[in-house]
Amino acid sequence: MARSSRHRRRVRRDRHGRGLRGPLYPASLPAAASRAEKFDQLVLDALEPIEARWRDQLTKLDVAVDDVPEIRGGGAPEDDGVLHDGAVPLSRLVPAGVDRTGLPTRARIVLYRRPLEARAKDPGELADLVHDVLVEQVAGYLGVEPDVIEGE
């Protein structure tokens, strides 16, 4: 009997014996999403009209989000496909190639969340900035002018 009670799953409680509390907001409310989740949704919303118009040309392109750009020590940074604001990269277009194990990789656009959020004053401005960055990078990927991507 004592042995079976030891194997029961123990509920972890805080130091006041109250245990874990439930989530602050239900998952169905917008306030329950983290900043990263909101940014991911913002990117998907900005990409949707571009992808709808250029679906056939973008089948081999992935879009990803990183929090911050990776800084490589040693030599000069690679600036091919990087969209800068001053000295800070906002996004990078990584061409298709081969990874370290010899497997082929797809081309991808990587947006850097924190630098983009730092440059926007409000959510509306952030949405416009993300859209502009995506248009620039898709235009670079397709080898056309950004105005062509937007359909102007």
Side-chain angles (χ1 to χ4, degrees):
M1 186 88 165
R3 179 174 252 184
S4 65
S5 66
R6 273 191 247 150
H7 290 291
R8 283 189 205 156
R9 187 169 171 236
R10 298 189 79 180
V11 177
R12 298 188 61 97
R13 297 184 178 273
D14 65 5
R15 68 186 186 134
H16 300 288
R18 293 188 198 116
L20 298 175
R21 296 183 181 181
L24 188 57
Y25 294 104
S28 60
L29 293 178
S34 68
R35 283 177 42 191
E37 291 170 336
K38 289 176 186 175
F39 188 82
D40 290 347
Q41 187 59 49
L42 190 68
V43 170
L44 290 173
D45 292 344
L47 184 63
E48 188 177 349
I50 297 170
E51 194 174 52
R53 183 159 186 227
W54 297 93
R55 183 173 313 279
D56 295 338
Q57 290 86 355
L58 300 180
T59 57
K60 296 182 180 177
L61 178 70
D62 294 331
V63 177
V65 174
D66 277 348
D67 282 339
V68 292
E70 181 181 320
I71 305 296
R72 294 189 176 116
E78 243 181 75
D79 282 348
D80 292 341
V82 177
L83 184 62
H84 287 279
D85 179 21
V88 179
L90 300 178
S91 67
R92 175 183 296 274
L93 175 60
V94 181
V98 179
D99 67 5
R100 292 179 216 166
T101 61
L103 297 173
T105 61
R106 293 166 45 114
R108 73 182 172 277
I109 295 172
V110 181
L111 293 151
Y112 301 120
R113 179 178 65 87
R114 305 239 353 217
L116 287 166
E117 286 177 339
R119 277 144 186 80
K121 295 177 184 163
D122 57 43
E125 189 175 324
L126 180 60
D128 291 342
L129 182 59
V130 167
H131 175 76
D132 292 345
V133 168
L134 274 173
V135 166
E136 273 298 315
Q137 292 293 26
V138 169
Y141 173 72
L142 296 176
V144 298
E145 291 295 317
D147 294 342
V148 174
I149 298 297
E150 296 218 54
E152 295 175 2

